[in-house]
Amino acid sequence: MKAVQIQDYGPASDLAVVEAQKPVIAAGQLLVEIGAAGINPVDTYIRSGTNNYQASFPHTPGNDGAGTVVEVADDVTEFKVGDRIYFSRCLSGSSAEFASCLAEKAFPLPDNISFEQGACLGVPYTTAHRALFGRAHAQAGQKVLIHGGTGAVGIAAVQLALAAGLEVVASAGSEAGEALLKEQGAHHVINHKDADHLVPFQNLENGFDVIIEMLADQNLDQDLKALAHGGCVAVIGNRGTVEINPRDLMARDAAVVGVALANVKTPALKQIGQSLYPLLSSGLLTPVVRKTYSLDELGLAHEDVLKAGALGNLVVTLAN
C-alpha cells in the first residue's frame, strides 16, 4: 500500500509517500480502507516531537480517519466487513491507503456523511463535545461564547451548542470567518481582533455561562471578566502563559477547567460517539471541509493546519 512516512522527528518537508506493508490486525482491531484522513495540529506535534509528544519510526501521521472496514478481528462483534466508520487514535497512522484501529475507538458513519466529513469527527467533534458537556456542563438556555469559532473544533462547538439549545456567540478574526459563523447559525458573531470585543459582555447581567477558549494565553484574563455568576471557561487551546486576577473568579463563583482529549477514557468516548450519531444522521451536525489534499501533499497540509485564520477542517482524501 501507499503510505506517508517520516524516518525521524523533523519538519513537514521530510514527509514522503512510500510503499509500505499493509497493517496486520490483532485482537480487538479493525483494518480499514481509508477514504479520508483527518489533519489536526496534534499530528504535527507528534511528527516533530514537540509539546511532549513522541512517535516510533518509521512514523505514519494521522489519528483521525474514515473509511470502509475490510477486515475484522475474530473477537470483534460490533462491526463487519463493508461497514462505513470513522475512528480516532489510529494504531498505524491514517495517512495511508489502509490503517488499523481499535474497534472501541471506531464509530458508525451515517450514510449522509462523506468520508471527508467523517475524517473531521474524531478529534474536533469529540473535543468540542467533551468541552461543552463533559467539562463545562453546558445546558439548554445558557449563553456560550465559542472564542475562536472558525477552526475545526470551533465549528464543531458551534454546531453542538446550537443543537443543544444554547444561545451561541462565536468569534472570528476575519470577514470570511464572520460570514462562515453566520452561515453556521451563530446567534451573534464578534471579531476577536477588536481589542474591545468582550467589553459588552464584561458584566454579570450580560456575561457568559460558558466560554470555550481556543487560545487561553491571549484571552483568559479577559474571559474571566466576561463570565456570568457561576460561569465556566473550558480551555481547549493554549500556546504560552497568562496572568489572571483570581478575584475575577471569586466575584463570580466561577471556574476554569482544562480539556485534553488524551485524558478521556474509552467509555466516555463511546458515549460521545453515541451522542453524535443521531445529530449527524439528522443533519444537525455537518462538518465543514475547507480543503482536501492528496497523500503526497500531506507536508503542505501539516504546514497549513498551524496557520491562523482557519475556516474549517483540512483532510487528505484517498477515496476514488
Side-chain angles (χ1 to χ4, degrees):
M1 70 171 186
K2 289 183 172 64
V4 176
Q5 288 185 354
I6 191 169
Q7 304 305 314
D8 201 352
Y9 297 117
S13 57
D14 286 351
L15 292 167
V17 178
V18 301
E19 289 292 330
Q21 291 296 315
K22 192 182 298 184
V24 176
I25 63 171
Q29 298 178 11
L30 306 172
L31 183 66
V32 183
E33 183 175 6
I34 301 298
I39 303 165
N40 297 292
V42 67
D43 301 331
T44 73
Y45 308 151
I46 297 170
R47 183 208 74 233
S48 57
T50 56
N51 295 347
N52 298 316
Y53 285 94
Q54 295 180 325
S56 57
F57 297 97
H59 170 65
T60 294
N63 279 314
D64 288 359
T68 305
V69 176
V70 294
E71 190 175 339
V72 182
D74 291 340
D75 62 334
V76 174
T77 59
E78 61 266 43
F79 294 105
K80 64 182 186 301
V81 172
D83 284 349
R84 300 173 79 250
I85 65 166
Y86 73 93
F87 58 82
S88 192
R89 302 185 187 180
C90 182
L91 296 171
S92 61
S94 58
S95 297
E97 291 181 318
F98 295 87
S100 59
C101 68
L102 289 171
E104 65 184 19
K105 301 294 193 301
F107 306 94
L109 185 68
D111 290 339
N112 60 306
I113 302 296
S114 68
F115 288 140
E116 288 81 7
Q117 292 172 321
C120 305
L121 294 173
V123 167
Y125 279 79
T126 306
T127 299
H129 193 285
R130 175 69 173 170
L132 280 165
F133 309 115
R135 299 294 286 139
H137 306 293
Q139 299 179 35
Q142 291 184 328
K143 182 161 68 174
V144 59
L145 168 64
I146 314 299
H147 211 176
T150 62
V153 178
I155 290 175
V158 168
Q159 293 181 356
L160 282 164
L162 288 170
L166 281 82
E167 178 185 349
V168 177
V169 179
S171 80
S174 67
E175 290 186 3
E178 291 181 44
L180 175 59
L181 292 175
K182 290 175 183 176
E183 289 173 5
Q184 293 301 306
H187 298 108
H188 189 55
V189 177
I190 56 179
N191 193 311
H192 51 235
K193 289 188 175 179
D194 179 353
D196 297 326
H197 67 283
L198 287 184
V199 170
F201 307 98
Q202 289 179 331
N203 58 78
L204 290 175
E205 293 73 26
N206 202 32
F208 298 102
D209 300 293
V210 174
I211 297 177
I212 304 298
E213 181 52 65
M214 310 297 176
L215 201 57
D217 56 297
Q218 291 190 19
N219 301 319
L220 185 58
D221 61 328
Q222 294 302 309
D223 287 344
L224 301 185
K225 297 176 175 62
L227 287 173
H229 187 272
C232 177
V233 180
V235 176
I236 289 177
N238 182 68
R239 295 184 181 179
T241 59
V242 61
E243 182 176 323
I244 66 168
N245 184 346
R247 289 194 175 276
D248 291 326
L249 287 167
M250 296 160 62
R252 294 163 176 80
D253 240 10
V256 178
V257 297
V259 183
L261 192 56
N263 294 329
V264 185
K265 304 303 182 185
T266 298
L269 289 174
K270 183 176 181 179
Q271 188 175 51
I272 291 172
Q274 291 171 332
S275 298
L276 293 178
Y277 188 89
L279 300 174
L280 290 163
S281 60
S282 67
L284 286 173
L285 302 183
T286 306
V288 175
V289 178
R290 171 165 56 114
K291 187 175 181 180
T292 61
Y293 302 79
S294 60
L295 267 183
D296 59 7
E297 295 174 320
L298 183 63
L300 175 60
H302 271 219
E303 294 173 351
D304 288 347
V305 78
L306 295 178
K307 293 178 180 177
L311 298 172
N313 296 265
L314 308 181
V315 301
V316 168
T317 183
L318 292 96
N320 294 326

